[in-house]
Structures are given as structure tokens and as C-alpha cells.
């Protein structure tokens, strides 16, 4: 499954989530990436991340910032 991130900012003045254009992410790959990030954090004694951020533009991933990409890829 492919997802398209639009880089919607979580807060109006935030520097995070400032994608110039939409980008496509592989949903299963993204899930594995988040799992590895949290495993690494836990291995170093850090709390796991509760919010999921786009690895491309650093926006907080919510249903408003993501949409399914239709077939044709």
C-alpha cells in the first residue's frame, strides 16, 4: 500500500512538516521504520515515540496529511 504525504504542519508557526510538494511512502516500509526507531530508542534507554513523524518532511502523520495513492503505480 502506498501513502501520499502532503506535509501538513501540526502547528501554524512550526518549522516541521514543511514539504514543498507531496511525496509517496510505502505503508509497510514506514511501519517497519517506526518499529526499528522505537527498538533503537528502547535499546538506548529512551522512551518510544508516541507520535509518528514523516521521515521525509518531519510532519506529524495524521489522516489529514496522508491519503492512499490510487492504483497505476
Amino acid at each position: 500500500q502506498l501513502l501520499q504525504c502532503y506535509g501538513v504542519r501540526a502547528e501554524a508557526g512550526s518549522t516541521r512538516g514543511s514539504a514543498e510538494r507531496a511525496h509517496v511512502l510505502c505503508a509497510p516500509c514506514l511501519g517497519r521504520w517506526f518499529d526499528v526507531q522505537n527498538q533503537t530508542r528502547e535499546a538506548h534507554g529512551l522512551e518510544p515515540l508516541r507520535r509518528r513523524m514523516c521521515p521525509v518532511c518531519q510532519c506529524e502523520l495524521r489522516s489529514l496529511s496522508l491519503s492512499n495513492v490510487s492504483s497505476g503505480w
Side-chain angles (χ1 to χ4, degrees):
Q1 179 184 13
L2 297 176
L3 302 172
Q4 191 168 17
C5 178
Y6 294 98
V8 177
R9 291 189 174 128
E11 299 173 13
S14 177
T15 58
R16 296 185 134 204
S18 55
E20 292 181 17
R21 43 179 84 134
H23 39 279
V24 177
L25 304 166
C26 166
C29 300
L30 195 57
R32 287 192 298 271
W33 186 83
F34 288 128
D35 290 344
V36 169
Q37 293 297 310
N38 280 335
Q39 289 170 4
T40 302
R41 289 180 62 82
E42 289 175 359
H44 289 91
L46 300 171
E47 292 277 327
L49 297 173
R50 302 280 182 237
R51 294 183 177 176
R52 293 186 170 204
M53 308 301 273
C54 175
V56 176
C57 69
Q58 295 301 304
C59 76
E60 183 175 353
L61 296 177
R62 298 179 178 182
S63 60
L64 294 176
S65 62
L66 295 174
S67 70
N68 288 328
V69 175
S70 61
S71 60
W73 284 84

